[in-house]
Amino acid sequence: MDIDKINYFFTAAELCNFTKAAQKCQITQAAMSKYINSLETELECKLFYRNNKGCTLTEKGKAFYDKMQTLSAMYEDVKSDLRVTSGPRIRTGIEGEHHSIPEFQLFQANNPEIVFDISFGERDALVEDLGDGKLDVLLLLNIRPEGDDAQMKPFRTIDLPGEKECLICSETAMMRFGSVEGVIKSLPMITKTDDPAYHRYAKAGLKSRFGVDIGDIRTIDSIANQQLVVNLSKGFAIVPRFEIPEDSTFYIVPMDEVFMTALKLVYDPHHLSKEAKKLTSFIRKIFSAK
């Protein structure tokens, strides 16, 4: 059992729906189902009753939930104690999937004694953890979903420079549909995130850039599989330029500022650790020097 993934089980039990739980945990529905099935196989018992409306815990599932809540809390306490004694850290929550974060890499090169303690998660959950003091800083996608201004009001942010993105599809798809607009209307966008905020952002960006609506959005679990599906003319994707192999045969359309992998650093100025304060000062100094 991977105790770090037990939150998948907790979320499914609390939402009574595997699809909604997968979205909240930022994994695919298939990955959520596979995890629950493997957990039931390992425990040799059924944890959920499944039906068309969702799922509910069995009696054994309820017992497992209660006991694992206790064990999980103890595990988090142990991790917290170990972190306190293992040197200076910055507890960092990260939204989305990133190839590299140059600002963090430069900071760590200059401050090798400080370690980034990374947690990945959904935007709302990360912001809540920052407010509760469980995280020192957040690295969020620089988009503004509904209600974001109110949610961010207690915090301060630093906008980080973005990486321009490209639309990619296969040469075959371009020949079949005749234009980028035709590809967008006819094929699904293949993305690695289930985040509804990003999906709305992508739809609005493509509408602004090309004047057409996306036919469908499908999520996939990795960069390699995303590019395989696109290569097979089963969809198109919006990706940072660095993710595109030099020897690829994709039809590539550079995007303008409508699509950038822009990020923002978020922190609570009233509850900033010494290490996090050093990070925010370092990043502000880098940008003021440019």
Side-chain angles (χ1 to χ4, degrees), residues 188-212:
M189 186 176 88
I190 310 300
T191 177
K192 301 182 294 296
T193 177
D194 287 324
D195 185 2
Y198 177 77
H199 292 183
R200 292 192 295 270
Y201 162 74
K203 287 179 179 179
L206 287 169
K207 179 75 171 181
S208 172
R209 176 72 166 79
F210 296 102
V212 295

PDB file of all heavy atoms in Angstrom, residues 188-212:
ATOM      1  N   PRO A 188     -10.399  16.359 -30.648  1.00  0.00           N
ATOM      2  CA  PRO A 188     -10.357  16.788 -29.241  1.00  0.00           C
ATOM      3  C   PRO A 188      -8.998  17.366 -28.875  1.00  0.00           C
ATOM      4  O   PRO A 188      -7.978  17.009 -29.471  1.00  0.00           O
ATOM      5  CB  PRO A 188     -10.616  15.487 -28.474  1.00  0.00           C
ATOM      6  CG  PRO A 188     -10.096  14.418 -29.388  1.00  0.00           C
ATOM      7  CD  PRO A 188     -10.399  14.893 -30.785  1.00  0.00           C
ATOM      8  N   MET A 189      -8.994  18.278 -27.920  1.00  0.00           N
ATOM      9  CA  MET A 189      -7.733  18.734 -27.357  1.00  0.00           C
ATOM     10  C   MET A 189      -7.277  17.710 -26.323  1.00  0.00           C
ATOM     11  O   MET A 189      -8.052  17.314 -25.442  1.00  0.00           O
ATOM     12  CB  MET A 189      -7.875  20.103 -26.686  1.00  0.00           C
ATOM     13  CG  MET A 189      -6.532  20.659 -26.229  1.00  0.00           C
ATOM     14  SD  MET A 189      -6.616  22.325 -25.522  1.00  0.00           S
ATOM     15  CE  MET A 189      -6.938  21.917 -23.814  1.00  0.00           C
ATOM     16  N   ILE A 190      -6.037  17.265 -26.415  1.00  0.00           N
ATOM     17  CA  ILE A 190      -5.487  16.270 -25.501  1.00  0.00           C
ATOM     18  C   ILE A 190      -4.633  16.992 -24.466  1.00  0.00           C
ATOM     19  O   ILE A 190      -3.650  17.642 -24.807  1.00  0.00           O
ATOM     20  CB  ILE A 190      -4.626  15.228 -26.258  1.00  0.00           C
ATOM     21  CG1 ILE A 190      -5.387  14.669 -27.477  1.00  0.00           C
ATOM     22  CG2 ILE A 190      -4.203  14.119 -25.317  1.00  0.00           C
ATOM     23  CD1 ILE A 190      -6.687  13.973 -27.141  1.00  0.00           C
ATOM     24  N   THR A 191      -5.038  16.899 -23.207  1.00  0.00           N
ATOM     25  CA  THR A 191      -4.322  17.609 -22.150  1.00  0.00           C
ATOM     26  C   THR A 191      -3.982  16.668 -21.016  1.00  0.00           C
ATOM     27  O   THR A 191      -4.586  15.604 -20.871  1.00  0.00           O
ATOM     28  CB  THR A 191      -5.165  18.798 -21.621  1.00  0.00           C
ATOM     29  OG1 THR A 191      -4.475  19.424 -20.542  1.00  0.00           O
ATOM     30  CG2 THR A 191      -6.526  18.329 -21.139  1.00  0.00           C
ATOM     31  N   LYS A 192      -3.023  17.068 -20.180  1.00  0.00           N
ATOM     32  CA  LYS A 192      -2.581  16.216 -19.081  1.00  0.00           C
ATOM     33  C   LYS A 192      -3.265  16.572 -17.765  1.00  0.00           C
ATOM     34  O   LYS A 192      -2.960  15.979 -16.738  1.00  0.00           O
ATOM     35  CB  LYS A 192      -1.063  16.322 -18.922  1.00  0.00           C
ATOM     36  CG  LYS A 192      -0.285  15.928 -20.169  1.00  0.00           C
ATOM     37  CD  LYS A 192       1.208  15.997 -19.956  1.00  0.00           C
ATOM     38  CE  LYS A 192       1.710  17.407 -19.720  1.00  0.00           C
ATOM     39  NZ  LYS A 192       1.504  18.291 -20.890  1.00  0.00           N
ATOM     40  N   THR A 193      -4.163  17.544 -17.775  1.00  0.00           N
ATOM     41  CA  THR A 193      -4.802  17.945 -16.531  1.00  0.00           C
ATOM     42  C   THR A 193      -6.320  17.826 -16.599  1.00  0.00           C
ATOM     43  O   THR A 193      -6.922  18.114 -17.637  1.00  0.00           O
ATOM     44  CB  THR A 193      -4.415  19.384 -16.141  1.00  0.00           C
ATOM     45  OG1 THR A 193      -5.122  19.762 -14.950  1.00  0.00           O
ATOM     46  CG2 THR A 193      -4.769  20.379 -17.251  1.00  0.00           C
ATOM     47  N   ASP A 194      -6.905  17.420 -15.477  1.00  0.00           N
ATOM     48  CA  ASP A 194      -8.365  17.357 -15.350  1.00  0.00           C
ATOM     49  C   ASP A 194      -8.949  18.666 -14.815  1.00  0.00           C
ATOM     50  O   ASP A 194     -10.147  18.770 -14.623  1.00  0.00           O
ATOM     51  CB  ASP A 194      -8.766  16.237 -14.369  1.00  0.00           C
ATOM     52  CG  ASP A 194      -8.567  14.855 -14.968  1.00  0.00           C
ATOM     53  OD1 ASP A 194      -8.796  14.707 -16.173  1.00  0.00           O
ATOM     54  OD2 ASP A 194      -8.183  13.940 -14.230  1.00  0.00           O
ATOM     55  N   ASP A 195      -8.096  19.647 -14.546  1.00  0.00           N
ATOM     56  CA  ASP A 195      -8.535  20.874 -13.881  1.00  0.00           C
ATOM     57  C   ASP A 195      -9.554  21.634 -14.726  1.00  0.00           C
ATOM     58  O   ASP A 195      -9.228  22.114 -15.824  1.00  0.00           O
ATOM     59  CB  ASP A 195      -7.314  21.765 -13.624  1.00  0.00           C
ATOM     60  CG  ASP A 195      -7.661  23.009 -12.825  1.00  0.00           C
ATOM     61  OD1 ASP A 195      -8.825  23.158 -12.436  1.00  0.00           O
ATOM     62  OD2 ASP A 195      -6.757  23.838 -12.610  1.00  0.00           O
ATOM     63  N   PRO A 196     -10.794  21.798 -14.251  1.00  0.00           N
ATOM     64  CA  PRO A 196     -11.818  22.515 -15.022  1.00  0.00           C
ATOM     65  C   PRO A 196     -11.427  23.963 -15.317  1.00  0.00           C
ATOM     66  O   PRO A 196     -11.785  24.504 -16.363  1.00  0.00           O
ATOM     67  CB  PRO A 196     -13.058  22.454 -14.114  1.00  0.00           C
ATOM     68  CG  PRO A 196     -12.823  21.292 -13.216  1.00  0.00           C
ATOM     69  CD  PRO A 196     -11.346  21.249 -12.990  1.00  0.00           C
ATOM     70  N   ALA A 197     -10.676  24.596 -14.388  1.00  0.00           N
ATOM     71  CA  ALA A 197     -10.253  25.986 -14.615  1.00  0.00           C
ATOM     72  C   ALA A 197      -9.339  26.072 -15.834  1.00  0.00           C
ATOM     73  O   ALA A 197      -9.454  27.000 -16.651  1.00  0.00           O
ATOM     74  CB  ALA A 197      -9.543  26.528 -13.374  1.00  0.00           C
ATOM     75  N   TYR A 198      -8.427  25.099 -15.972  1.00  0.00           N
ATOM     76  CA  TYR A 198      -7.557  25.115 -17.144  1.00  0.00           C
ATOM     77  C   TYR A 198      -8.341  24.844 -18.419  1.00  0.00           C
ATOM     78  O   TYR A 198      -8.076  25.441 -19.465  1.00  0.00           O
ATOM     79  CB  TYR A 198      -6.430  24.082 -17.007  1.00  0.00           C
ATOM     80  CG  TYR A 198      -5.555  24.043 -18.245  1.00  0.00           C
ATOM     81  CD1 TYR A 198      -4.608  25.032 -18.480  1.00  0.00           C
ATOM     82  CD2 TYR A 198      -5.725  23.057 -19.213  1.00  0.00           C
ATOM     83  CE1 TYR A 198      -3.836  25.037 -19.628  1.00  0.00           C
ATOM     84  CE2 TYR A 198      -4.962  23.050 -20.373  1.00  0.00           C
ATOM     85  CZ  TYR A 198      -4.018  24.044 -20.566  1.00  0.00           C
ATOM     86  OH  TYR A 198      -3.272  24.049 -21.722  1.00  0.00           O
ATOM     87  N   HIS A 199      -9.307  23.950 -18.355  1.00  0.00           N
ATOM     88  CA  HIS A 199     -10.132  23.653 -19.532  1.00  0.00           C
ATOM     89  C   HIS A 199     -10.868  24.905 -20.009  1.00  0.00           C
ATOM     90  O   HIS A 199     -10.919  25.181 -21.210  1.00  0.00           O
ATOM     91  CB  HIS A 199     -11.129  22.541 -19.210  1.00  0.00           C
ATOM     92  CG  HIS A 199     -10.485  21.210 -18.993  1.00  0.00           C
ATOM     93  ND1 HIS A 199     -11.208  20.062 -18.750  1.00  0.00           N
ATOM     94  CD2 HIS A 199      -9.176  20.829 -18.983  1.00  0.00           C
ATOM     95  CE1 HIS A 199     -10.377  19.046 -18.600  1.00  0.00           C
ATOM     96  NE2 HIS A 199      -9.140  19.490 -18.722  1.00  0.00           N
ATOM     97  N   ARG A 200     -11.423  25.689 -19.062  1.00  0.00           N
ATOM     98  CA  ARG A 200     -12.101  26.937 -19.440  1.00  0.00           C
ATOM     99  C   ARG A 200     -11.111  27.929 -20.038  1.00  0.00           C
ATOM    100  O   ARG A 200     -11.410  28.609 -21.024  1.00  0.00           O
ATOM    101  CB  ARG A 200     -12.788  27.542 -18.213  1.00  0.00           C
ATOM    102  CG  ARG A 200     -13.977  26.735 -17.690  1.00  0.00           C
ATOM    103  CD  ARG A 200     -14.787  27.528 -16.680  1.00  0.00           C
ATOM    104  NE  ARG A 200     -14.036  27.806 -15.470  1.00  0.00           N
ATOM    105  CZ  ARG A 200     -14.011  27.010 -14.405  1.00  0.00           C
ATOM    106  NH1 ARG A 200     -14.699  25.863 -14.416  1.00  0.00           N
ATOM    107  NH2 ARG A 200     -13.325  27.337 -13.332  1.00  0.00           N
ATOM    108  N   TYR A 201      -9.930  28.000 -19.448  1.00  0.00           N
ATOM    109  CA  TYR A 201      -8.868  28.882 -19.934  1.00  0.00           C
ATOM    110  C   TYR A 201      -8.455  28.500 -21.361  1.00  0.00           C
ATOM    111  O   TYR A 201      -8.282  29.360 -22.231  1.00  0.00           O
ATOM    112  CB  TYR A 201      -7.687  28.773 -18.964  1.00  0.00           C
ATOM    113  CG  TYR A 201      -6.348  29.253 -19.462  1.00  0.00           C
ATOM    114  CD1 TYR A 201      -6.072  30.602 -19.594  1.00  0.00           C
ATOM    115  CD2 TYR A 201      -5.335  28.341 -19.751  1.00  0.00           C
ATOM    116  CE1 TYR A 201      -4.822  31.037 -20.026  1.00  0.00           C
ATOM    117  CE2 TYR A 201      -4.087  28.752 -20.180  1.00  0.00           C
ATOM    118  CZ  TYR A 201      -3.837  30.108 -20.309  1.00  0.00           C
ATOM    119  OH  TYR A 201      -2.613  30.527 -20.737  1.00  0.00           O
ATOM    120  N   ALA A 202      -8.314  27.206 -21.615  1.00  0.00           N
ATOM    121  CA  ALA A 202      -7.921  26.728 -22.946  1.00  0.00           C
ATOM    122  C   ALA A 202      -8.991  27.039 -23.980  1.00  0.00           C
ATOM    123  O   ALA A 202      -8.689  27.498 -25.090  1.00  0.00           O
ATOM    124  CB  ALA A 202      -7.639  25.229 -22.897  1.00  0.00           C
ATOM    125  N   LYS A 203     -10.254  26.800 -23.625  1.00  0.00           N
ATOM    126  CA  LYS A 203     -11.348  27.081 -24.561  1.00  0.00           C
ATOM    127  C   LYS A 203     -11.381  28.565 -24.921  1.00  0.00           C
ATOM    128  O   LYS A 203     -11.509  28.933 -26.088  1.00  0.00           O
ATOM    129  CB  LYS A 203     -12.677  26.657 -23.939  1.00  0.00           C
ATOM    130  CG  LYS A 203     -12.888  25.157 -23.870  1.00  0.00           C
ATOM    131  CD  LYS A 203     -14.230  24.822 -23.225  1.00  0.00           C
ATOM    132  CE  LYS A 203     -14.459  23.319 -23.171  1.00  0.00           C
ATOM    133  NZ  LYS A 203     -15.757  22.985 -22.522  1.00  0.00           N
ATOM    134  N   ALA A 204     -11.258  29.415 -23.895  1.00  0.00           N
ATOM    135  CA  ALA A 204     -11.305  30.855 -24.131  1.00  0.00           C
ATOM    136  C   ALA A 204     -10.105  31.313 -24.955  1.00  0.00           C
ATOM    137  O   ALA A 204     -10.238  32.149 -25.863  1.00  0.00           O
ATOM    138  CB  ALA A 204     -11.345  31.603 -22.802  1.00  0.00           C
ATOM    139  N   GLY A 205      -8.926  30.751 -24.679  1.00  0.00           N
ATOM    140  CA  GLY A 205      -7.723  31.141 -25.409  1.00  0.00           C
ATOM    141  C   GLY A 205      -7.773  30.751 -26.878  1.00  0.00           C
ATOM    142  O   GLY A 205      -7.403  31.532 -27.753  1.00  0.00           O
ATOM    143  N   LEU A 206      -8.232  29.544 -27.162  1.00  0.00           N
ATOM    144  CA  LEU A 206      -8.335  29.093 -28.554  1.00  0.00           C
ATOM    145  C   LEU A 206      -9.414  29.866 -29.310  1.00  0.00           C
ATOM    146  O   LEU A 206      -9.246  30.192 -30.489  1.00  0.00           O
ATOM    147  CB  LEU A 206      -8.625  27.589 -28.601  1.00  0.00           C
ATOM    148  CG  LEU A 206      -7.436  26.699 -28.223  1.00  0.00           C
ATOM    149  CD1 LEU A 206      -7.879  25.270 -28.042  1.00  0.00           C
ATOM    150  CD2 LEU A 206      -6.338  26.784 -29.278  1.00  0.00           C
ATOM    151  N   LYS A 207     -10.497  30.185 -28.622  1.00  0.00           N
ATOM    152  CA  LYS A 207     -11.548  30.989 -29.245  1.00  0.00           C
ATOM    153  C   LYS A 207     -11.015  32.371 -29.600  1.00  0.00           C
ATOM    154  O   LYS A 207     -11.272  32.892 -30.689  1.00  0.00           O
ATOM    155  CB  LYS A 207     -12.734  31.109 -28.277  1.00  0.00           C
ATOM    156  CG  LYS A 207     -13.896  31.945 -28.809  1.00  0.00           C
ATOM    157  CD  LYS A 207     -14.686  31.198 -29.854  1.00  0.00           C
ATOM    158  CE  LYS A 207     -15.954  31.936 -30.222  1.00  0.00           C
ATOM    159  NZ  LYS A 207     -16.759  31.227 -31.232  1.00  0.00           N
ATOM    160  N   SER A 208     -10.234  32.959 -28.702  1.00  0.00           N
ATOM    161  CA  SER A 208      -9.659  34.279 -28.939  1.00  0.00           C
ATOM    162  C   SER A 208      -8.635  34.254 -30.064  1.00  0.00           C
ATOM    163  O   SER A 208      -8.587  35.154 -30.901  1.00  0.00           O
ATOM    164  CB  SER A 208      -8.999  34.785 -27.646  1.00  0.00           C
ATOM    165  OG  SER A 208      -8.284  35.971 -27.858  1.00  0.00           O
ATOM    166  N   ARG A 209      -7.827  33.195 -30.099  1.00  0.00           N
ATOM    167  CA  ARG A 209      -6.718  33.125 -31.074  1.00  0.00           C
ATOM    168  C   ARG A 209      -7.195  32.718 -32.466  1.00  0.00           C
ATOM    169  O   ARG A 209      -6.745  33.256 -33.467  1.00  0.00           O
ATOM    170  CB  ARG A 209      -5.687  32.121 -30.559  1.00  0.00           C
ATOM    171  CG  ARG A 209      -4.512  31.833 -31.478  1.00  0.00           C
ATOM    172  CD  ARG A 209      -3.550  33.004 -31.552  1.00  0.00           C
ATOM    173  NE  ARG A 209      -2.297  32.617 -32.148  1.00  0.00           N
ATOM    174  CZ  ARG A 209      -2.081  32.473 -33.461  1.00  0.00           C
ATOM    175  NH1 ARG A 209      -3.072  32.662 -34.310  1.00  0.00           N
ATOM    176  NH2 ARG A 209      -0.895  32.128 -33.902  1.00  0.00           N
ATOM    177  N   PHE A 210      -8.146  31.745 -32.531  1.00  0.00           N
ATOM    178  CA  PHE A 210      -8.527  31.188 -33.830  1.00  0.00           C
ATOM    179  C   PHE A 210      -9.994  31.416 -34.197  1.00  0.00           C
ATOM    180  O   PHE A 210     -10.400  31.115 -35.315  1.00  0.00           O
ATOM    181  CB  PHE A 210      -8.232  29.685 -33.866  1.00  0.00           C
ATOM    182  CG  PHE A 210      -6.771  29.351 -33.735  1.00  0.00           C
ATOM    183  CD1 PHE A 210      -6.253  28.892 -32.531  1.00  0.00           C
ATOM    184  CD2 PHE A 210      -5.913  29.508 -34.811  1.00  0.00           C
ATOM    185  CE1 PHE A 210      -4.908  28.590 -32.409  1.00  0.00           C
ATOM    186  CE2 PHE A 210      -4.558  29.204 -34.694  1.00  0.00           C
ATOM    187  CZ  PHE A 210      -4.057  28.751 -33.489  1.00  0.00           C
ATOM    188  N   GLY A 211     -10.789  31.892 -33.245  1.00  0.00           N
ATOM    189  CA  GLY A 211     -12.186  32.188 -33.541  1.00  0.00           C
ATOM    190  C   GLY A 211     -13.085  30.968 -33.666  1.00  0.00           C
ATOM    191  O   GLY A 211     -14.172  31.047 -34.226  1.00  0.00           O
ATOM    192  N   VAL A 212     -12.640  29.811 -33.149  1.00  0.00           N
ATOM    193  CA  VAL A 212     -13.446  28.585 -33.218  1.00  0.00           C
ATOM    194  C   VAL A 212     -13.509  27.940 -31.846  1.00  0.00           C
ATOM    195  O   VAL A 212     -12.657  28.181 -30.979  1.00  0.00           O
ATOM    196  CB  VAL A 212     -12.884  27.577 -34.245  1.00  0.00           C
ATOM    197  CG1 VAL A 212     -12.973  28.125 -35.657  1.00  0.00           C
ATOM    198  CG2 VAL A 212     -11.441  27.202 -33.911  1.00  0.00           C
TER     199      VAL A 212
END
